[in-house]
Amino acid sequence: MSDNLAKFWLFATHWTKLDTFDNEEELNDELELLQRQSLPTKVRQMKNKEGNEEYVLYVKQADRDYARYCTGWRPGGMM
Protein backbone atom coordinates (compact mmCIF):
# COMPACT_ATOMS: atom_id res chain seq x y z
CA MET A 1 0.00 0.00 0.00
CA SER A 2 1.39 3.40 -0.89
CA ASP A 3 2.18 5.84 1.89
CA ASN A 4 -0.36 8.41 0.66
CA LEU A 5 -3.11 5.80 0.46
CA ALA A 6 -2.31 4.57 3.97
CA LYS A 7 -2.39 8.13 5.35
CA PHE A 8 -5.72 8.80 3.65
CA TRP A 9 -7.22 5.55 4.97
CA LEU A 10 -6.09 6.36 8.53
CA PHE A 11 -7.55 9.87 8.23
CA ALA A 12 -10.83 8.65 6.74
CA THR A 13 -11.28 6.06 9.49
CA HIS A 14 -10.54 8.62 12.24
CA TRP A 15 -7.06 7.48 13.34
CA THR A 16 -4.55 10.11 14.39
CA LYS A 17 -0.80 9.89 14.92
CA LEU A 18 0.14 9.90 18.59
CA ASP A 19 3.91 9.38 18.52
CA THR A 20 6.86 7.82 16.69
CA PHE A 21 9.46 5.44 18.10
CA ASP A 22 12.93 4.43 16.95
CA ASN A 23 12.78 0.94 18.40
CA GLU A 24 10.23 -1.71 19.22
CA GLU A 25 11.03 -1.74 22.95
CA GLU A 26 9.91 1.88 23.46
CA LEU A 27 6.82 1.21 21.36
CA ASN A 28 5.86 -1.84 23.41
CA ASP A 29 6.10 0.16 26.66
CA GLU A 30 3.72 2.78 25.26
CA LEU A 31 1.35 0.15 23.85
CA GLU A 32 1.19 -1.57 27.23
CA LEU A 33 0.09 1.68 28.91
CA LEU A 34 -2.60 2.31 26.32
CA GLN A 35 -3.88 -1.26 26.25
CA ARG A 36 -4.33 -1.23 30.03
CA GLN A 37 -6.84 1.58 29.44
CA SER A 38 -8.50 -0.40 26.61
CA LEU A 39 -7.65 2.26 24.03
CA PRO A 40 -7.62 1.07 20.40
CA THR A 41 -4.23 1.43 18.72
CA LYS A 42 -2.61 0.82 15.34
CA VAL A 43 1.10 0.68 14.54
CA ARG A 44 2.83 1.26 11.21
CA GLN A 45 6.44 0.37 10.55
CA MET A 46 7.95 2.71 7.99
CA LYS A 47 11.17 4.42 6.99
CA ASN A 48 11.85 8.00 8.11
CA LYS A 49 13.54 10.66 5.96
CA GLU A 50 16.99 9.36 6.89
CA GLY A 51 16.04 5.86 5.73
CA ASN A 52 15.91 4.35 9.23
CA GLU A 53 13.05 2.16 10.41
CA GLU A 54 10.59 3.81 12.77
CA TYR A 55 7.29 2.83 14.35
CA VAL A 56 4.32 5.19 14.20
CA LEU A 57 1.63 4.77 16.84
CA TYR A 58 -1.94 5.78 15.99
CA VAL A 59 -5.02 6.10 18.23
CA LYS A 60 -8.63 6.95 17.43
CA GLN A 61 -9.17 10.71 17.21
CA ALA A 62 -11.79 10.62 19.96
CA ASP A 63 -9.25 8.98 22.33
CA ARG A 64 -6.25 11.16 21.47
CA ASP A 65 -6.38 13.48 24.49
CA TYR A 66 -6.93 10.61 26.92
CA ALA A 67 -4.05 8.67 25.33
CA ARG A 68 -1.79 11.70 25.72
CA TYR A 69 -2.81 11.99 29.37
CA CYS A 70 -2.14 8.27 30.03
CA THR A 71 1.31 8.36 28.44
CA GLY A 72 2.43 11.73 29.77
CA TRP A 73 2.78 13.06 26.23
CA ARG A 74 3.91 16.68 25.94
CA PRO A 75 4.23 18.87 22.82
CA GLY A 76 7.74 18.63 21.41
CA GLY A 77 8.45 15.13 22.65
CA MET A 78 8.26 12.92 25.67
CA MET A 79 9.13 13.99 29.22
Side-chain angles (χ1 to χ4, degrees):
M1 180 183 301
S2 76
D3 190 47
N4 288 334
L5 183 59
K7 285 180 183 179
F8 176 75
W9 179 83
L10 288 163
F11 172 78
T13 56
H14 304 284
W15 290 93
T16 187
K17 180 174 154 183
L18 181 66
D19 210 347
T20 59
F21 301 91
D22 295 328
N23 61 52
E24 207 167 343
E25 186 176 300
E26 292 175 5
L27 170 68
N28 289 336
D29 291 342
E30 202 84 359
L31 280 173
E32 184 180 333
L33 285 171
L34 296 173
Q35 289 173 350
R36 277 191 221 148
Q37 301 302 320
S38 300
L39 292 173
T41 59
K42 288 201 179 295
V43 176
R44 286 185 64 208
Q45 183 177 2
M46 48 194 296
K47 294 196 182 278
N48 60 15
K49 292 180 181 179
E50 292 84 34
N52 300 324
E53 291 291 323
E54 72 178 4
Y55 299 92
V56 182
L57 176 61
Y58 293 89
V59 295
K60 283 290 197 176
Q61 287 177 354
D63 299 324
R64 183 191 66 202
D65 292 336
Y66 185 57
R68 287 178 174 175
Y69 171 77
C70 291
T71 60
W73 183 91
R74 298 289 182 262
M78 297 300 289
M79 296 193 315

